[in-house]
């Protein structure tokens, strides 16, 4: 049976060129899934955390979204409430079977939604899909993770290069580099919130993201909660390009958010020091 599809994209002063590409790629991916008989209708929510003066170009980008790809709605005026809480603002409006959480700096391959829905349709245990991810230059990004330690997070985010090289085996294990890119895998312990396709009923039952995480680790927390009832599956045929960077490269404010969220994550799910 065709699925009702929805998606949420949270923005805060977005790169408008990337937002245009994200929406265009999403529209094409929804169209391909619809043509394959996998999607009946679609709704897209842009949840903008930015101030009023940044809204007009986002509205312009939304108007360019093809009507044949689905309805689009902007939720605005709530201020910068953080990533997880912003996604949750769309929860009460969802009337879908599957829901995509997606960053505005992500581009979908045209068959990404179709491949994800096909995978979900063959295995009822799958509650969420994690994609194969490439960077803008074609390099593989390792966004599926094992449970981290405090040590490996420090190594990966803040240690100098020669220290990371010395302890590369620990980083590689955390980043699941032992799993080939073309090899499907489930369950995935931790998946990235830059692209996560979920069964809507499960997402609603879990209450969406934990609003206590302003930014960072809300996706890891959600992954662990999904894993109690279902599986997160890595599906290599679901391919995206991710233009995002890491917290340590975005300035001290992001570093502070990262550290606060890391503390909350370990305090909630258990500390692992090394």
């Amino acid at each position: 049976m065709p699925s009702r599809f929805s998606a949420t994209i949270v923005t805060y002063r977005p790169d408008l060129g990337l937002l245009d590409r994200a929406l265009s790629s999403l529209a094409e991916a929804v169209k391909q899934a619809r043509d394959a008989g996998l999607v009946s209708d679609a709704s897209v929510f842009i949840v903008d955390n930015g101030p009023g003066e940044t809204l007009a170009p986002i509205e312009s980008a939304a108007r360019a979204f093809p009507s044949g790809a689905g309805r689009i709605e902007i939720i605005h005026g709530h201020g910068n409430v953080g990533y997880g809480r912003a996604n949750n603002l769309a929860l009460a409006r969802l009337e879908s079977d599957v829901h995509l959480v997606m960053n505005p700096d992500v581009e979908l391959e045209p068959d990404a939604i179709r491949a994800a829905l096909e995978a979900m349709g063959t295995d009822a245990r799958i509650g969420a899909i994690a994609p194969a991810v490439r960077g803008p230059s074609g390099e593989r990004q390792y966004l599926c993770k094992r449970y981290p330690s405090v040590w490996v997070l420090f190594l990966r985010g803040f240690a100098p290069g020669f220290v990371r090289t010395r302890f590369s085996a620990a980083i590689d294990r955390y980043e699941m580099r032992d799993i080939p890119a073309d090899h499907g895998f489930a369950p995935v312990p931790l998946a990235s919130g830059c692209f996560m396709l979920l069964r809507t009923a499960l997402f609603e039952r879990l209450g969406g993201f934990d609003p206590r995480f302003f930014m960072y680790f809300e996706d890891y927390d959600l992954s662990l909660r999904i894993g109690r009832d279902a599986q997160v599956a890595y599906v290599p045929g679901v391919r995206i390009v991710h233009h995002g960077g890491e917290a340590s490269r975005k300035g001290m404010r992001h570093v502070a958010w990262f550290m606060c969220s890391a503390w909350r994550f370990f305090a909630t799910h258990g500390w692992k020091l090394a």
Side-chain angles (χ1 to χ4, degrees):
M1 293 290 293
S3 297
R4 296 169 298 167
F5 173 87
S6 60
T8 298
I9 302 174
V10 173
T11 59
Y12 179 81
R13 299 184 183 273
D15 180 312
L16 296 173
L18 289 179
L19 178 61
D20 285 340
R21 290 158 68 176
L23 289 171
S24 177
S25 70
L26 176 60
E28 179 57 32
V30 169
K31 179 180 181 299
Q32 283 213 11
R34 192 193 297 269
D35 290 345
L38 297 172
V39 167
S40 57
D41 60 54
S43 299
V44 177
F45 300 92
I46 299 176
V47 184
D48 180 49
N49 281 354
E53 62 267 22
T54 67
L55 181 60
I58 295 172
E59 291 176 327
S60 178
R63 284 194 294 271
F65 193 76
S67 59
R71 300 174 298 278
I72 191 163
E73 178 182 345
I74 296 175
I75 302 172
H76 176 81
H78 46 271
N80 189 5
V81 296
Y83 183 76
R85 191 185 293 270
N87 270 288
N88 291 352
L89 289 176
L91 263 178
R93 308 175 191 228
L94 300 185
E95 298 178 348
S96 59
D97 303 301
V98 292
H99 181 67
L100 174 64
V101 173
M102 173 181 158
N103 275 12
D105 59 2
V106 159
E107 292 180 78
L108 283 62
E109 291 292 325
D111 60 351
I113 301 299
R114 177 184 59 78
L117 293 177
E118 287 175 346
M120 278 188 162
T122 60
D123 192 342
R125 296 172 298 176
I126 296 176
I129 297 288
V133 187
R134 298 281 175 182
S137 300
E139 71 281 10
R140 183 182 176 188
Q141 293 187 0
Y142 297 87
L143 299 190
C144 292
K145 305 289 198 308
R146 293 186 172 95
Y147 197 92
S149 66
V150 175
W151 172 238
V152 82
L153 290 180
F154 167 76
L155 286 172
R156 189 172 179 271
F158 306 105
F162 74 92
V163 176
R164 289 198 302 272
T165 299
R166 171 67 178 81
F167 295 98
S168 61
I171 297 173
D172 289 352
R173 174 169 173 74
Y174 168 58
E175 295 181 342
M176 300 183 71
R177 291 180 180 243
D178 53 315
I179 305 297
D182 59 353
H183 179 74
F185 177 80
V188 172
L190 305 173
S192 170
C194 77
F195 178 107
M196 189 184 291
L197 185 72
L198 310 108
R199 297 190 191 274
T200 305
L202 174 61
F203 190 47
E204 291 174 332
R205 187 164 69 250
L206 294 174
F209 289 100
D210 186 333
R212 296 177 301 164
F213 294 90
F214 181 81
M215 184 177 290
Y216 303 113
F217 290 91
E218 67 284 299
D219 47 1
Y220 287 8
D221 169 80
L222 181 62
S223 296
L224 292 175
R225 290 188 289 123
I226 290 171
R228 296 169 189 163
D229 294 336
Q231 292 184 347
V232 180
Y234 166 73
V235 180
V238 182
R239 294 166 295 149
I240 69 169
V241 176
H242 181 222
H243 296 267
E246 299 193 10
S248 61
R249 301 175 186 172
K250 295 180 179 179
M252 289 307 300
R253 183 171 59 172
H254 281 263
V255 171
W257 287 335
F258 181 90
M259 294 177 68
C260 288
S261 291
W263 180 279
R264 187 176 298 280
F265 175 80
F266 287 121
T268 301
H269 296 287
W271 289 89
K272 183 179 179 182
L273 299 181

